[in-house]
Structure formats: C-alpha cells, structure tokens
C-alpha cells in the first residue's frame, strides 16, 4: 500500500465543505458556508461573456490584468489614502484563501511563530503548521470577542514572525477599533514583525462604523500583506478572485510563490470585473444592503430561543443557545441540519483546540424568503 507521510496529520476536511455537504444531503437551508443565494448583477455575466467572445481566453499576466490592478490601486487610494503601485504592489489572486496561503508560504519558515486571533478562519492554522511554523493563538470569547492587548503581548517572543488580523471578523462579525490599531502599532514598532490583514469583508460593515484598513496606517502598511475579495464585493464568491496588496519587497516574495501556485487568475473574469469596477458606484450601498439583511435576520431570530451576539460586519450572525440546550455546538449544528433542516457552522471549528463556547454562526447573505423559511424552522426548536 502506498501511503503519504501527511503534512497535516491532525487536519480533516474544512468545516465549510462538511456542513455544505450535510446540508445538501438533508436538503437543509444552507446558512453555513458564507455565500449569497441570489445572483450577481447580470451585467457582470454579460461582461464575462463579451470578454470570452472577444478572445480574452488565454493566460492573463502572472500578476493580474494591468487594468484591474490599476483599479485596485485607485480604489485603495480613494478609500484609504494609501499609494500602492499597480505594477509592483498589487497582485490579483484566485480568491482570499489562495492569497493567504501564498503570503504565509512566502514568509513562514520552520520555527517561526504566528499570532492568530481565535476563533480564526480555518485555513490559517493548518497553513502555518504545514510550513513548519508555530501557531500562537489568542483566544477571544463571546459575547464581544474583544482583544486584551496586554495578553496578546505575552504571546510575543523572539521568534514571532507574523500577526494575522481579520476585520470585519469571520466568524464573529466583530471589527477592530482605533484603540486596537493603536495598540498594534505600539506592539510592532521597532520590530520586523509582519502583518497579514485579511480584509475580505471590508465593504460589509454596519451601524455607520468605518472599516479601519491597515492601509490607513503607514507604520503598519509597510509590514503588511492586505488581502481582499471580489467575491464578497460582487456577490460572486464562486468566481474565486481577490487580490493582495503589499509594499514592493513583500509583493516580490509573494509573487515568487504565486507564480508557481496559480501562475495567473482566469482572464475573462478579471476583464469583466475591471470593466464593472470602472463604475465606482459599485462600492456604495453594499453596507446598507447587508445591514438590512442583518437587521431583518436579527428581528426574525428574536422569535427563537437563540440569544444574539453583536454583529458589526461580515456575512455572519452568531448566536448562543443556553436557553435551548447544553449540547456541544457541533452536536447542535448536526441536529439542526438533520431534524430542522437548517445548516449553520459550529464556532468551535475555528479554534485550534475546538474550544466550545456554545456558539453557532449563521450566514445572512441570503434572500429574505430564505431567512424567513430558515427561522420558521428554528422557531420550533
Ligand atoms: N469564507 C467562507 C465562510 O467563512 C467560506 C470559504 C470557503 O468555503 N472556503 O463561510
């Protein structure tokens, strides 16, 4: 028997695949994996078709179509007052997860320590481990998932190579505040610690709050890879396109990995996205569109025995369930699919050691009728 000496012996299949598959098997309403159940703008699809028909079907440049990189640089300049050169500091990627993988692969050597904030998106820890790095988790807890920076400081050592940030945060919907950022500036000043800032939900932020991109802070910018997602921006997560912006020396290393990882991202999608983004209006109204969904979903959930946690951004609403049961979040999530036909994500899946605070995550990037139908079922729980 041929067997592989596993790079990730303790790792199973990602929770998103597990829950979406279970949802399908049980014909459950899928509020687990984060993706919209409504279509993107038909204009976008037209643009892809036109790009294909006009012969844009061969490899794009390794770093991404120049026009798309220029539009990204312009957007970042408009929104965050930061200058990134489109040729040397912007790279189009096959989605956020690939960009994260690539940035980590470019930077992490065996023995390097990476600080992450748990609950954390489930690709971070396995990728770090696969590279021989050591994961140093800071555990955040409900209801507010705040960060005590004095405790974070204790995780620092001579081997700290990187900190991974994620705001708006998946799965909790919390966001970094100005105080958080100032603490981070203090902690990293006069060090060569790198930052990977996962900002894929940058445009999904609620209650008039402002997204504090790392790009806004020159002291942090110089040490940071910032990752973003066109999937979330355009309601087309299946297009798997995003980008990474980073200062030239960092981008240079990023691209060394990117070129042998994906080489380049599909051309017609890039062409269509670029054409679509020329209309700057695209960025407007996205927060209020999702805020309405969040508010309606929260209202609906008031009729259940779930307790709502705060949500300031992202696609996700988290809930606790002490009034319903004391079972493990994984058990309840499975029972919800099988008996109530609603799929969610157990938040313990986002902790290295599966810490269970009895929290479930629901994705509200869905049609109103989908949310209503799901809650109708949850009310009976
Ligand atoms: N970001 C999405 C989520 O949290 C899923 C991404 C994926 O399935 N890889 O649900």
């Amino acid at each position: 028997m041929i067997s592989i000496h596993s790079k990730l012996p303790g790792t199973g299949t990602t929770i998103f695949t597990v829950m979406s598959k279970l949802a399908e098997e049980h014909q459950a309403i899928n509020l687990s994996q984060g993706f919209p159940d409504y279509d993107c703008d038909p204009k976008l699809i037209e643009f892809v078709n036109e790009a294909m028909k006009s012969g844009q079907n061969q490899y794009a440049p390794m770093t991404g179509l120049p026009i798309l990189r220029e539009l990204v640089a312009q957007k970042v300049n408009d929104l965050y007052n930061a200058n990134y050169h489109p040729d040397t500091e912007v790279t189009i990627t096959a989605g956020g997860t690939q960009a994260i993988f690539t940035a980590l692969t470019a930077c992490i050597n065996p023995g390097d320590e990476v600080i992450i904030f748990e609950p954390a998106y489930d690709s971070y820890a396995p990728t770090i481990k696969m590279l021989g790095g050591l994961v140093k988790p800071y555990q955040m807890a409900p209801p507010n998932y705040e960060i005590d920076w004095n405790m974070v400081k204790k995780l620092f050592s001579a081997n700290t190579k990187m900190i991974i940030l994620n705001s708006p945060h998946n799965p909790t919907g919390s966001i970094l505040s100005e105080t958080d950022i100032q603490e981070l500036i203090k902690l990293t000043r006069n060090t060569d610690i790198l930052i990977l800032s996962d900002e894929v939900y940058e445009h999904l932020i609620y209650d008039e709050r402002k997204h504090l991109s790392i790009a806004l802070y020159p002291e942090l910018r110089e040490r940071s890879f910032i990752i973003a997602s066109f999937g979330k921006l355009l309601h087309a997560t299946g297009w798997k396109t995003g980008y990474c912006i980073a200062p030239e020396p960092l981008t240079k290393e990023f691209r060394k990995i990117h070129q042998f990882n994906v080489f380049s991202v599909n051309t017609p999608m890039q062409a269509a996205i670029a054409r679509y983004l020329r209309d700057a209006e695209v960025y407007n109204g996205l927060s209020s569109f999702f805020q309405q969904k969040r508010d309606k979903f929260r209202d609906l959930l008031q009729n259940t025995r779930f307790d709502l946690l705060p949500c300031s951004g992202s696609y996700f609403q988290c809930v606790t369930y002490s009034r319903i049961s004391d079972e493990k979040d994984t058990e309840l999530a499975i029972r919800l699919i099988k008996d109530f036909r609603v799929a969610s994500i157990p938040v313990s899946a986002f902790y290295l050691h599966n810490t269970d605070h009895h929290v479930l995550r629901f994705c509200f990037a869905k049609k109103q009728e989908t949310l209503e139908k799901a809650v109708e079922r949850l009310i009976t729980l």
Side-chain angles (χ1 to χ4, degrees):
M1 270 296 271
I2 295 177
S3 75
I4 293 173
H5 182 72
S6 178
K7 295 248 180 204
L8 293 169
T11 303
T13 303
T14 169
I15 190 72
F16 307 116
T17 299
V18 171
M19 297 318 268
S20 279
K21 189 161 171 277
L22 258 185
E24 213 178 297
E25 277 166 25
H26 293 270
Q27 293 168 359
I29 297 173
N30 191 357
L31 307 187
S32 64
Q33 197 177 20
F35 62 87
D37 70 343
Y38 42 87
D39 224 340
C40 62
D41 188 341
K43 224 165 46 177
L44 255 174
I45 296 169
E46 244 174 73
F47 288 174
V48 176
N49 269 319
E50 281 169 25
M52 286 178 165
K53 282 185 193 150
S54 69
Q56 298 192 65
N57 298 302
Q58 309 309 328
Y59 295 127
M62 182 270 275
T63 58
L65 284 188
I67 175 69
L68 187 55
R69 283 187 276 107
E70 270 162 38
L71 285 162
V72 166
Q74 193 184 315
K75 169 199 131 173
V76 176
N77 201 322
D78 291 348
L79 292 180
Y80 308 124
N81 194 25
N83 269 318
Y84 284 89
H85 196 290
D87 290 341
T88 52
E89 300 184 311
V90 180
T91 310
I92 307 301
T93 64
T97 306
Q98 184 247 315
I100 292 161
F101 185 91
T102 300
L104 285 168
T105 307
C107 301
I108 304 307
N109 289 299
D112 286 344
E113 295 178 3
V114 181
I115 295 173
I116 67 170
F117 294 88
E118 290 189 321
Y121 183 58
D122 76 336
S123 84
Y124 304 158
T127 307
I128 296 162
K129 284 193 223 163
M130 200 203 64
L131 297 164
L134 299 168
V135 182
K136 295 283 159 184
Y138 172 85
Q139 287 215 3
M140 303 189 291
N144 294 322
Y145 295 99
E146 306 117 324
I147 301 171
D148 175 347
W149 289 93
N150 285 323
M151 298 304 285
V152 177
K153 204 170 174 176
K154 295 200 174 127
L155 296 174
F156 278 65
S157 82
N159 296 324
T160 306
K161 183 60 163 246
M162 184 184 263
I163 304 175
I164 303 185
L165 302 167
N166 174 211
S167 180
H169 186 255
N170 179 8
T172 69
S174 65
I175 55 176
L176 290 176
S177 68
E178 185 64 41
T179 317
D180 291 321
I181 303 275
Q182 291 309 323
E183 291 294 336
L184 182 67
I185 291 176
K186 269 193 257 163
L187 274 181
T188 50
R189 188 172 287 153
N190 300 324
T191 73
D192 54 8
I193 294 172
L194 297 163
I195 293 173
L196 193 161
S197 185
D198 174 353
E199 303 185 12
V200 298
Y201 297 102
E202 69 185 310
H203 301 295
L204 283 63
I205 187 153
Y206 314 130
D207 310 317
E208 308 295 317
R209 303 284 294 268
K210 193 169 154 348
H211 172 58
L212 299 182
S213 173
I214 292 303
L216 285 162
Y217 304 87
E219 271 182 279
L220 296 177
R221 198 154 77 207
E222 65 180 17
R223 58 177 81 245
S224 298
F225 296 88
I226 300 176
I227 312 290
S229 159
F230 292 121
K232 276 77 176 179
L233 175 68
L234 305 171
H235 315 293
T237 59
W239 287 19
K240 293 299 297 176
T241 44
Y243 59 87
C244 171
I245 54 172
E248 186 169 352
L250 273 58
T251 292
K252 211 167 149 189
E253 292 307 314
F254 182 94
R255 289 177 175 177
K256 286 186 195 173
I257 306 297
H258 176 84
Q259 64 186 342
F260 298 128
N261 183 358
V262 286
F263 181 66
S264 68
V265 176
N266 47 81
T267 310
M269 258 72 172
Q270 289 193 66
I273 294 173
R275 201 168 151 198
Y276 195 76
L277 291 186
R278 267 180 235 151
D279 179 1
E281 283 298 303
V282 172
Y283 301 101
N284 297 335
L286 208 61
S287 277
S288 65
F289 173 79
F290 281 109
Q291 184 170 324
Q292 267 175 31
K293 291 200 177 295
R294 178 204 65 171
D295 291 346
K296 287 193 177 144
F297 188 49
R298 286 176 72 91
D299 281 351
L300 289 167
L301 283 173
Q302 300 290 359
N303 303 313
T304 69
R305 288 185 298 151
F306 286 114
D307 292 301
L308 298 167
L309 293 176
C311 164
S312 304
S314 84
Y315 276 162
F316 309 115
Q317 174 63 53
C318 286
V319 300
T320 54
Y321 52 86
S322 61
R323 288 188 287 150
I324 296 170
S325 86
D326 60 3
E327 66 204 303
K328 283 192 195 160
D329 64 357
T330 43
E331 281 167 16
L332 180 59
I334 289 170
R335 192 158 72 84
L336 280 187
I337 294 183
K338 292 189 174 160
D339 299 348
F340 296 83
R341 292 191 299 124
V342 178
S344 60
I345 297 278
V347 169
S348 64
F350 295 84
Y351 288 89
L352 208 51
H353 301 294
N354 297 112
T355 310
D356 185 3
H357 293 285
H358 290 193
V359 178
L360 295 180
R361 186 197 86 172
F362 291 107
C363 171
F364 56 76
K366 305 289 170 189
K367 295 178 201 144
Q368 174 68 9
E369 68 217 55
T370 308
L371 299 174
E372 279 169 12
K373 219 154 129 201
V375 174
E376 251 167 52
R377 295 178 185 182
L378 296 174
I379 283 171
T380 59
L381 179 71

